[in-house]
């Protein structure tokens, strides 16, 4: 490996989601080039990017169409303030997002990171209720949820690893048991379990609706929460209940949006429209930071008034609606429009299912589960009881290092190995990835259990 780059990195860079001490043993890998699903390090070794570089990449690294769109935009306008000014890319992008989003969503408010979109959704919902004369201060979230790591977003998440340390600083949400189907009774279907889990949500809404601004959920897949999955019927019931109890529904599709679950947006599978839809990650095809909250005319109108009435939404970020990012997002939407991506993904998802089906029989594999282009393999100490490995015997890391050695980036979540690849992956690459996952799980299982 290029020791000079690593030395310089370790002297000044502080990496995300990393105990930097680990880099004494396993230094970061300097990447010099990307091409499709492949990343190439400075020595020429290639890695199949099975997790789309933290779930952002949709159509491969160095995608010629997205590259070209950004280059064209770069020669016209790199950035302009979006308060008091506007530009064609942000206008066209807003029109096109509204056209493809669930029916009834009509206004786009932009930011850069996904977490910022969550902050916006939380503030927008709170401020809406204030503008219509109701003082509400709470949010309902699901256990095992993840919505980002700024303080508001962290508050409505529920992954202890990220949250625990900062607890004294956070809002106190009303946390309801997740419909995550990993814990269903044997013989129980996803649908039955998710419907049963809804009773907890119904009860929370009964008790807390009048103090609650919004319910926030990740539709269908709790991604950072170990790729746990649930049935779309839960979302149908949730939409109906939010209407009944007059509470907003915030759908965080930052990870699951843009075709990940088999439809363009996960909400489509439940035929629902949230009050606020949060998008990020794949919005620019994995090129540039851009996120957006798309909301209804009803919410928008509650902020519309004569100047100075304390009603306006004064939230802002420096790079709101950046034109280069909008150009990347438009090129991404073009690919969805021109290439029949959703239909092709259905075939890829089926190939992933077939390739990995036999992993279910492995001694330490408790479950192989899938929603569209997300396929997760959960390892456990006891397959039958689904007892997890104790923290000191975590297997994900062993599998990760093994996979790197064989040329795949399969960064796990705890003991869950998952495929969430760019949509340009081929069936040969799926087979290769499955083979690497298989030997990685073998390597992890070989340790004294
Ligand atoms: C990644 C993620 C976020 C946060 O997005 P960032 O761009 O990392 O700030 C929020 N919600 C979900 C569901 C995510 O997966």
């Amino acid at each position: 490996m290029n020791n000079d780059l690593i030395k310089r990195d370790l002297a000044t860079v502080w990496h995300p989601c990393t105990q930097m001490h680990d880099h004494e043993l396993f230094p970061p890998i300097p990447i010099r080039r990307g091409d499709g699903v492949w990343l190439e390090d400075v020595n020429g070794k290639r890695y199949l990017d099975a997790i789309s570089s933290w779930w952002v990449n949709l159509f491969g690294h160095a995608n010629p169409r997205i590259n070209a769109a950004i280059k064209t935009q770069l020669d016209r306008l790199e950035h302009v303030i979006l308060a008091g000014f506007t530009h064609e890319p942000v206008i066209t992008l807003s029109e096109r997002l509204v056209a493809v989003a669930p029916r009834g969503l009509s206004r786009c408010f932009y930011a850069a990171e996904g977490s910022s979109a969550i902050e916006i959704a939380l503030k927008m919902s709170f401020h809406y209720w204030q503008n219509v004369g109701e003082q509400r201060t709470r949010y309902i979230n699901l256990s095992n949820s993840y919505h980002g790591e700024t303080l508001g977003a962290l508050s409505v998440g529920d992954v202890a690893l990220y949250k625990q340390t900062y607890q004294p600083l956070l809002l106190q949400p009303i946390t309801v048991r997740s419909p995550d189907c990993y814990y269903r009774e044997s013989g129980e279907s996803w649908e039955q379990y998710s419907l049963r889990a809804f009773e907890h949500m119904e009860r929370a809404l009964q008790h807390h609706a009048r103090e609650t601004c919004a319910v926030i959920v990740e539709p269908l897949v709790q991604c950072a929460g170990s790729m746990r999955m649930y049935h779309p019927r839960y979302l149908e019931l949730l939409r109906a209940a939010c209407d009944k109890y007059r509470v907003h529904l915030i759908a965080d599709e930052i990870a699951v949006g843009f075709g990940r679950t088999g439809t363009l947006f996960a909400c489509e599978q439940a035929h629902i429209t949230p009050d606020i839809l949060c998008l990020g990650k794949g919005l620019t095809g994995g090129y540039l930071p851009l996120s957006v909250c798309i909301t209804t005319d009803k919410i928008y109108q509650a902020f519309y008034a004569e100047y100075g009435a304390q009603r306006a939404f004064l939230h802002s970020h420096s790079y709101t609606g950046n034109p280069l990012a909008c150009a990347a997002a438009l090129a991404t939407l073009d690919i969805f429009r021109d290439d029949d991506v959703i239909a092709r993904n259905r075939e890829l998802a089926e190939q992933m299912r077939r390739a990995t089906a036999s992993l279910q029989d492995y001694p330490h594999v408790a479950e192989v589960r899938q929603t569209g282009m997300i396929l997760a393999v959960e390892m456990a100490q006891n397959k039958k009881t689904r007892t997890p490995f104790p923290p000191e015997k975590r297997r994900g890391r062993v599998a990760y290092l093994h996979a790197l050695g064989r040329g795949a980036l399969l960064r796990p979540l705890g003991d869950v190995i998952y495929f969430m690849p760019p949509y340009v992956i081929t069936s040969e690459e799926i087979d290769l990835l499955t083979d690497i996952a298989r030997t990685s799980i073998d390597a992890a299982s070989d340790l004294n259990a």
Side-chain angles (χ1 to χ4, degrees):
M1 198 55 77
N2 187 320
N3 289 323
D4 184 50
L5 278 182
I6 292 170
K7 218 170 113 196
R8 283 166 54 203
D9 175 287
L10 293 179
T12 48
V13 181
W14 194 343
H15 289 269
C17 203
T18 297
Q19 170 47 265
M20 290 297 289
H21 185 273
D22 289 353
H23 281 326
E24 290 188 14
L25 267 180
F26 306 106
I29 299 168
I31 296 296
R32 68 178 173 199
R33 184 175 297 133
D35 176 22
V37 297
W38 294 97
L39 296 166
E40 182 185 296
D41 75 15
V42 290
N43 292 342
K45 178 171 175 159
R46 303 209 308 158
Y47 306 85
L48 203 167
D49 186 356
I51 62 157
S52 297
S53 285
W54 258 351
W55 323 340
V56 299
N57 192 289
L58 298 187
F59 299 116
H61 297 279
N63 182 288
R65 284 191 269 179
I66 304 175
N67 286 7
I70 295 172
K71 285 175 188 166
T72 304
Q73 182 57 40
L74 184 59
D75 284 332
R76 290 184 188 145
L77 175 69
E78 82 299 337
H79 186 67
V80 62
I81 177 174
L82 198 66
F85 290 81
T86 191
H87 51 84
E88 209 263 346
V90 81
I91 297 167
T92 308
L93 179 60
S94 305
E95 290 169 351
R96 291 187 56 188
L97 285 173
V98 165
V100 295
R103 188 202 303 259
L105 296 173
S106 58
R107 282 281 163 184
C108 301
F109 195 104
Y110 292 91
E113 302 293 337
S115 313
S116 314
I118 299 298
E119 301 293 334
I120 289 166
L122 298 177
K123 284 177 68 178
M124 191 180 272
S125 175
F126 167 85
H127 197 162
Y128 168 91
W129 292 112
Q130 184 147 301
N131 280 353
V132 301
E134 293 188 43
Q135 195 53 246
R136 303 186 182 201
T137 55
R138 308 213 50 198
Y139 301 90
I140 295 178
N141 68 346
L142 294 177
S143 60
N144 191 46
S145 57
Y146 178 89
H147 298 289
E149 304 193 30
T150 52
L151 292 176
L154 200 57
S155 296
V156 292
D158 185 52
V159 177
L161 179 66
Y162 309 124
K163 184 169 181 174
Q164 211 160 9
T165 308
Y166 307 100
Q167 196 67 59
L169 302 178
L170 304 179
L171 301 170
Q172 299 304 317
I174 298 149
T175 302
V176 169
R177 190 194 293 178
S178 166
D180 159 16
C181 291
Y182 188 62
Y183 296 109
R184 69 195 182 279
E185 307 286 328
S186 67
E188 194 175 27
S189 71
W190 281 24
E191 179 167 3
Q192 285 166 334
Y193 183 81
S194 292
L195 290 181
R196 202 150 61 75
F198 190 77
E199 291 165 19
H200 298 277
M201 179 61 79
E202 178 89 37
R203 224 169 302 139
L205 282 165
Q206 269 167 8
H207 283 101
H208 298 287
R210 265 180 300 170
E211 54 176 329
T212 299
C213 302
V215 177
I216 181 166
V217 298
E218 297 155 272
L220 300 188
V221 187
Q222 296 187 308
C223 293
S226 301
M227 298 292 167
R228 293 287 176 73
M229 300 172 183
Y230 61 94
H231 196 274
R233 280 277 285 154
Y234 188 89
L235 295 172
E236 272 179 65
L237 296 186
L238 180 58
R239 176 68 275 181
C242 286
D243 288 340
K244 177 176 162 194
Y245 293 102
R246 289 183 60 249
V247 166
H248 288 147
L249 174 58
I250 300 171
D252 174 357
E253 294 217 20
I254 290 164
V256 296
F258 296 103
R260 273 292 161 201
T261 65
T263 43
L264 188 60
F265 299 111
C267 283
E268 290 171 29
Q269 295 183 42
H271 314 287
I272 62 156
T273 299
D275 297 284
I276 303 174
L277 174 67
C278 303
L279 303 173
K281 292 202 166 107
L283 174 58
T284 62
Y287 270 69
L288 288 159
L290 184 71
S291 62
V292 64
C293 287
I294 316 182
T295 192
T296 60
D297 195 54
K298 182 173 180 189
I299 289 181
Y300 173 76
Q301 289 300 338
F303 290 82
Y304 201 80
E306 295 288 324
Y307 190 81
Q310 287 293 313
R311 291 178 76 95
F313 195 52
L314 297 183
H315 188 99
S316 61
H317 293 288
S318 315
Y319 282 101
T320 298
N322 173 260
L324 294 170
C326 289
L330 284 166
T332 300
L333 289 177
D334 283 348
I335 297 174
F336 274 104
R337 184 192 59 201
D338 300 339
D339 287 14
D340 211 3
V341 174
I342 299 296
R344 187 180 130 73
N345 280 2
R346 219 163 282 146
E347 288 166 28
L348 288 173
E350 178 56 22
Q351 285 167 17
M352 294 205 303
R353 189 191 65 75
R354 263 186 273 132
T356 55
S358 64
L359 292 178
Q360 184 69 69
D361 301 327
Y362 273 50
H364 286 293
V365 170
E367 185 174 67
V368 180
R369 56 179 173 268
Q370 181 177 18
T371 299
M373 290 297 287
I374 306 173
L375 189 137
V377 181
E378 181 139 1
M379 294 185 281
Q381 183 160 45
N382 186 319
K383 179 185 175 81
K384 261 219 168 103
T385 57
R386 303 200 156 174
T387 312
F389 287 106
E392 73 279 6
K393 289 192 174 173
R394 276 281 153 102
R395 301 312 165 90
R397 190 175 174 79
V398 179
Y400 170 66
L401 293 171
H402 178 92
L404 276 180
R406 287 200 60 196
L409 167 46
L410 272 171
R411 191 184 162 99
L413 291 156
D415 288 327
V416 175
I417 291 175
Y418 63 93
F419 300 172
M420 197 155 159
Y423 306 157
V424 295
I425 194 167
T426 63
S427 55
E428 293 75 32
E429 286 160 347
I430 288 174
D431 288 342
L432 172 66
L433 191 57
T434 306
D435 189 54
I436 295 176
R438 193 188 311 280
T439 59
S440 301
I441 292 167
D442 281 340
S445 305
D446 267 353
L447 302 178
N448 275 335

